[in-house]
Amino acid sequence: MSNATVAEQLVQVLRQAGVARVYGVVGDSLNPFVDAIRRTEGIEWIHVRNEEAGAFAAAAEAQLTGRLAVCAGSCGPGNTHLIQGLYDAQRKGVPVLAIASHIPSVQVGTGFFQETHPERVFVECSSYCELVSQVGQMPRVARIAAQHALGASGVSVLVISGDVLHRTAAQPTSSSYVSRPQGTIVPAREQVEALAERVNAATTVTLFCGAGVEGAHAEVMELAGKLHSPIGHSLRGKEWIQYDNPYDVGMSGLLGYGACYEATQDADLLMLIGTDFPYDAFLPGTRTVQIDHDVTRLGRRTPLELGVHGDVRTTLREVLPLVGQKSDRTFLDRMLRKHAQALERVVEAYTRDVEQHLPIHPEYATRLLDEVASDDAVFTVDTGMNNVWAARYLTPNGRRRVIGSFLHGSMANALPHAIGTQLAYPGRQVISMSGDGGLGMLLGELLTLATRQLPVKVVVFNNGALGMIKLEMMVDGLPDYQTDNGNVDYAAIAQAAGLHGVRIEQPGDIRTGLTEALAHPGPALIDLVTDPHALSMPPHITAAQVKGFALAAGKTVLDGGVGKMIELARANVRNIPRPTIAR
Ligand SMILES: Cc1ncc(C[n+]2csc(CCOP(=O)(O)OP(=O)(O)O)c2C)c(N)n1
Ligand SMILES: [Mg+2]
């Protein structure tokens, strides 16, 4: 008989699952758990200033490492704060376990101080959410929660009262293997053959890639080489597929650019590869096949001729030997040229006078950030205009990572995502591309950076406004209302909080300011005073296209520059083989 407490058992199970830290804010009902962490080797408590940040930090850690990450909140408000970050984790399908401590068990149902019902509250943002009311449920239920988060790639929540955490366990903890998904999903042979048949029969094929192409760059290139296919991507697919890609035609969606839309619309067959791209108005709606490791996603965005259930890499390896080499590359070459032309047009508009332009062009600042950041930097990106700058100006290379709240779409994600990233990768350069609105929302997390001396670099795109919404209102024909954040000196705030802080107002100071701040050994904030009116709008834009990132009906929604991508596009056009003249 072990005399461990339930809280100690929970911590032991977390250790066995490889968990090294728990993000949260301490509080009465959590005390036995936090105290058990204090006394356990190999696991530490990360004191954030808002539990929401703890959940975002765990989401980033889980996304980047693929391992279980944990956050916690005390009863009532302590754990309702977790919701935003848990939605982020659940939507992006990453393994996070949240410990939601609860009011004293004898008080449940009495309207007690801080009473909520976490087992109801968290249902929608989790795939496993259970109340632990008996000591005998431990340690098994903790193992189930960990395994469920890993296995279902999502959030598990354990709700447990402080008095239950405090009690003596009913049985020893012992050990049990916690397994991360490592198998592959091999598609059925008939599906592979049917896919090859369709691809071979099509005159032209476009590949549209999402985050599921991670690890399958070589296979996608080989397929595109055989089919002479243009390759487009979603925002989440960009970091895995755009680099070293002679078939690149850009990105689709509200932040899209280049010839991706044309390539997806005009192809004889569209192949969706590892993407759950939600903007169905950008898809042709016909002649589509799809590969996904999650069978429930097949056909949920557009009607399919064929849906193939399998991992992208495994599926492509199976199908490649059955795919014949196409000879006609006219369609690909036309799309590559269209793509380069589309980029040339915006590059011209966005590179003129930017060295002098006041306030600073955010596009120009991101271009310089892209140049001075290290080759394996992790960029965390706030929801808002920063999504646009990151999509257009950060150059993926297969080693860098760019993460954000790309599915839940919450503001204020970048700084807490950076906290989780830096803790998981202490030696790596971590850059938070924060909006001033986003930073203001979780400003207290600068204190987390300062107290832990986490060397995150916070680059604030300080346009003094909720810029994305300003744009939406303009597009909607509404007067600009309540979008001002005021002129705040975030560098001064950072300095007062104990960070290296620098404010940059002149475009000529950006490169040196960024380079120096990135080289600073501790946490640093770079307050870039940027133009709130950045981004030109194409004339044909409609309200529905921008509103809430949700509705879309056209091919180019936001115009804007494209940074170094133009170089890839130009090179790809240069490399189009010249026709050989028969003698
Ligand atoms: C939590 C939350 N609240 C509101 C929104 C709606 N929203 C999306 S972007 C945005 C403005 C972001 O402003 P800022 O961080 O300053 O970035 P900017 O667009 O100015 O670059 C708002 C209010 C949201 N996505 N999430
Ligand atoms: Mg702003």
Side-chain angles (χ1 to χ4, degrees), residues 23 37 44 132 194 256 260 268 282 288 326 330 430 436 470 478 483 499 506 548:
Y23 303 90
I37 289 177
E44 62 173 336
V132 183
C260 186
D268 189 27
F282 286 81
T288 307
K326 292 201 188 295
T330 325
V430 180
D436 56 315
K470 220 179 180 51
L478 299 170
T483 59
L499 280 74
Q506 297 295 327

Side-chain angles (χ1 to χ4, degrees), residues 385-386 435-438 461-468 483 485 530:
M385 296 311 290
N386 275 290
D436 56 315
F461 287 74
N462 185 1
N463 55 8
L466 301 171
M468 175 61 79
T483 59
N485 288 331
T530 57

Side-chain angles (χ1 to χ4, degrees), residues 284-348:
T286 54
R287 315 173 325 271
T288 307
V289 294
Q290 183 179 3
I291 303 171
D292 207 290
H293 72 114
D294 180 347
V295 73
T296 66
R297 289 182 189 156
L298 294 173
R300 84 168 170 175
R301 305 300 178 191
T302 189
L304 298 179
E305 282 185 10
L306 176 70
V308 180
H309 177 217
D311 288 335
V312 169
R313 186 157 178 256
T314 316
T315 305
L316 293 185
R317 284 187 166 192
E318 295 270 320
V319 81
L320 272 165
L322 309 181
V323 173
Q325 176 67 53
K326 292 201 188 295
S327 55
D328 186 354
R329 50 175 288 155
T330 325
F331 177 64
L332 169 64
D333 294 346
R334 185 155 57 84
M335 290 303 144
L336 290 176
R337 286 198 184 93
K338 256 192 178 227
H339 179 62
Q341 280 158 10
L343 300 199
E344 295 288 0
R345 211 169 16 88
V346 291
V347 162
E348 167 60 16

Side-chain angles (χ1 to χ4, degrees), residues 52 56 84 362 382-389 405 408-413 433-441 460-472 482-483 485 490 530-532 548-549:
E52 175 174 327
F56 273 124
Q84 196 79 278
D382 254 351
T383 299
M385 296 311 290
N386 275 290
N387 277 182
V388 185
W389 316 141
S405 182
H408 182 48
S410 170
M411 281 171 72
N413 58 292
M433 288 178 63
S434 297
D436 56 315
L439 180 65
M441 225 175 229
V460 192
F461 287 74
N462 185 1
N463 55 8
L466 301 171
M468 175 61 79
I469 309 305
K470 220 179 180 51
L471 189 68
E472 287 176 4
Q482 297 292 335
T483 59
N485 288 331
Y490 289 100
T530 57
D531 187 352
F549 278 153

Side-chain angles (χ1 to χ4, degrees), residues 10 52 78 92 130 137 201 286 385 429 448 462 504 550 562:
L10 177 54
E52 175 174 327
K92 57 188 176 205
E130 295 294 343
Q137 288 172 271
T286 54
M385 296 311 290
Q429 187 177 74
T448 305
N462 185 1
I504 301 180
V562 290

